[in-house]
Every structure is written in C-alpha cells, then in structure tokens.
Amino acid sequence: MIRLPGLFDPHVHFREPGGEHKEDFDSGTAAALAGGFTGVLAMPNTQPPLTDGPSLAKSLGAARAKARCDYGVFLGAGTENTSTAATLADRVCGLKLYLDQTFGPLRLDDLGALQAHVSSWPRDRPLAAHAEGRSLAAVLFLAAVHDRPVHICHVSRREEVILIRAAKERGFRVTCEAAPQHLLFTAGDFSHLPAGRREVRPRLNEPLDRQALWDNLAVIDCFATDHAPHTAAEKDGDAPPPGFPGLETALGLLWFAVDDGRLTLDGLVDRMVTQPRKIFGMTASPETSIEVEVGTTWEVRARELQTKCGWTPYEGMRLTARVRRTTLGGRLAYDDGRVLAPPGSGRDLAPGAGRHTPR
Ligand SMILES: [Zn+2]
C-alpha cells in the first residue's frame, strides 16, 4: 500500500445540466473519489452549453448541491458571448475553446470570435483549448500574438506534441495534457468492441503517435482523464456519441507505465497532482491523500464502478494499482468500494466562489 496526495483531474465531463442520465455531479464526483481524484474541473459542453450567467448558475448550483469532491467548472467560448465571457471569469476555473469536433454545439470556427475571446479573456485566468492538427497552430499563434498563456487539452498525435515542444523551446507560454487512452492504446487495441464504443475524441491513433507522446514526455505537463460518459445504450445506438469514461481506471492504467519504467512515481505525482493544480491556480484541501494498493491485480468491471454510464472500454482488463482509500480535508471520503463523502461536501475552487449566489 502506498500513500499519495489526492489526484487532480483538469478535464472531466459531468453532463449537468441536460445529460444527467449519463452522469451528474453526484455520480461523477463519486467516480472521481473512487479513482483517487479529490479535485476535478468540469467541461462546459452541457445542454445548454455553459456560456452565460444563467446556464453557469444552473451548473454551479447543481455542483454545490451534489459534488462530493472539490471542483471547478469551465465557461464555454461561443460566438454569442465574446463580449460577456470575461465578466464571468472569477466564477469559473477557466475558459474552454473548442476548435475541433466534440460532443455538443460549442465548436468555434469563426476567427473573429476566436480572436475576441483570446484577446479579452483575463491573462491571469486559465484558457484551455481543444485544438487538433492545424487548429493547434492557430491557437498557439493567437495566444502568442495576444501575449497570454494557453493550455492544450488531450494532445494525442505526433505532430501536435512536436509542435508544442517547438513552441515551448521558442518561449511560448503553453502547457498541455495527455489522456491515458492516448498514452497507452492505439486504434487497433479496441477492435473487440462494437464500433460505437470505440468512438472517442480525439480519436485513438497509430503506434507512432503513442510513441511520440512518450518520447516527448518532458513536454507533457499533466495527465487528464477526459472522463466523457455516455450510456451503453447510446454508445450502441445509431449515432454513437464520442467519449470514454475514465476517472476510475486512470491511475491503474498509468501504473502500467510506472511498472515498466517509462514513468517514475515522482513523474506521475507531478502530472496528476502538482502541475494540473499549478496550471489552473488551484490549491489543495489540507489533509488530502489516497492509499493505493499496488502489486496485486484487479479486473475492471463496469458494474463495480461509480460512474452512471454503465460501461467501460477497459472491461475485463487486469490492472496492478487500485485506490483503496481517499481522504479529503481530513475526512475519509472513499473506503474500498464505498463512497462516504456526502453530496454537497465538495468545495468550489473558482476564485470568486461564495461571492455569487446561483440564480
Ligand atoms: Zn473533453
């Protein structure tokens, strides 16, 4: 059994409001605690998307009532909120730009709107971007022109990590995250699953992409699950939405890399605790830790998971690290299959939390 600080995930989808049958702040934060995460940042591509005061208040109100671990919520950048987004900056953990295909309507193709967001979002508040391929070059350039930091979500391809490396070498203020599914798997690894269950964005790539992530590990500031739950029925339906659930398997999967020496324990803690908190300016609750059992194998079973979505792409996989206990703020929050932290006990990590009442 080893003890680590509580993990921090800067990229989850909790589907509230509008998709509570897939996941909500209650089940999502229960899954987080079971996976060893004591803080999470939730994405804004909900229904409606979180782009203004009323939609944000709805999500923050649900989070305040239901969250069992610490959390922040992102504001979404749309074409309609270029002049108002900055006024909401202290209520959220950052602004999210979607430059490529994702689940929901938040994709931002318009250069004018994109430029308006990059230039007006406060420089001291995090700006995160889903930017693949050429979009990555565009957002790096815009951030540099407007002299501000930018965080790149779920880097997955060789050319992307190479471009970020070059940008960092030139002094660009860019940070990035990578997800377990891209670090450890390729498109061919899930051929046993029905096609809909293989759908995830960014897509799973080729072995050379995966290898490039490890060859450039120093460029990858942090790990993020991109926990993106949809129900099994939706994944098996006619128009399967993209996304994998990931909170409860991330540490166990990344432990493969610790076991085979690609990742040191310090490197793991740096990328799952220290750096994500630093990038998003989040302090940890005191007396927060997890106990991880290592060296014995456990088999992933969807029916034993806390997520509401009811399936996992890792069904039946044997992992060698398992979170047994999670302590948050001095209280035992998860104990060997039982979530003990009650709904509403989580803390809003936004700088202005508590100064606003949900409308
Ligand atoms: Zn995502």
Side-chain angles (χ1 to χ4, degrees), residues 11-13 43 45 96 98 102 130 154 201 226-228:
H11 191 146
V12 301
H13 298 265
M43 288 295 163
N45 57 335
K96 175 73 183 281
Y98 285 96
T102 187
H130 175 161
H154 42 52
R201 296 290 179 280
D226 194 7
H227 176 79

Side-chain angles (χ1 to χ4, degrees), residues 146-299:
H146 291 284
D147 188 25
R148 60 152 308 126
V150 64
H151 177 76
I152 306 300
C153 299
H154 42 52
V155 173
S156 68
R157 291 193 203 106
R158 180 174 180 273
E159 58 269 27
E160 293 163 359
V161 74
I162 286 173
L163 179 58
I164 293 170
R165 184 178 70 188
K168 284 187 172 194
E169 285 168 359
R170 296 281 294 184
F172 283 46
R173 290 188 287 161
V174 53
T175 53
C176 69
E177 67 191 33
Q181 60 268 27
H182 299 118
L183 284 159
L184 295 159
F185 302 99
T186 62
D189 291 327
F190 290 99
S191 53
H192 60 287
L193 293 180
R197 297 195 183 205
R198 299 197 296 262
E199 286 293 331
V200 66
R201 296 290 179 280
R203 288 187 168 82
L204 295 173
N205 289 306
E206 299 303 315
L208 71 89
D209 294 300
R210 178 178 60 180
Q211 188 55 43
L213 297 179
W214 290 104
D215 291 344
N216 294 281
L217 187 61
V219 173
I220 296 168
D221 299 274
C222 60
F223 298 143
T225 66
D226 194 7
H227 176 79
H230 300 283
T231 66
E234 290 166 339
K235 295 294 277 183
D236 295 339
D238 288 339
F244 287 173
L247 279 165
E248 292 163 269
T249 44
L251 185 64
L253 290 172
L254 287 164
W255 209 264
F256 284 132
V258 175
D259 272 342
D260 69 22
R262 278 179 290 175
L263 184 63
T264 64
L265 189 53
D266 283 351
L268 178 121
V269 170
D270 195 44
R271 290 179 181 82
M272 297 186 87
V273 180
T274 315
Q275 290 303 327
R277 286 193 178 278
K278 189 173 160 194
I279 291 164
F280 289 92
M282 304 291 180
T283 53
S285 287
E287 297 183 72
T288 292
S289 64
I290 60 174
E291 287 173 54
V292 185
E293 185 178 4
V294 297
T296 56
T297 58
W298 65 286
E299 218 170 279

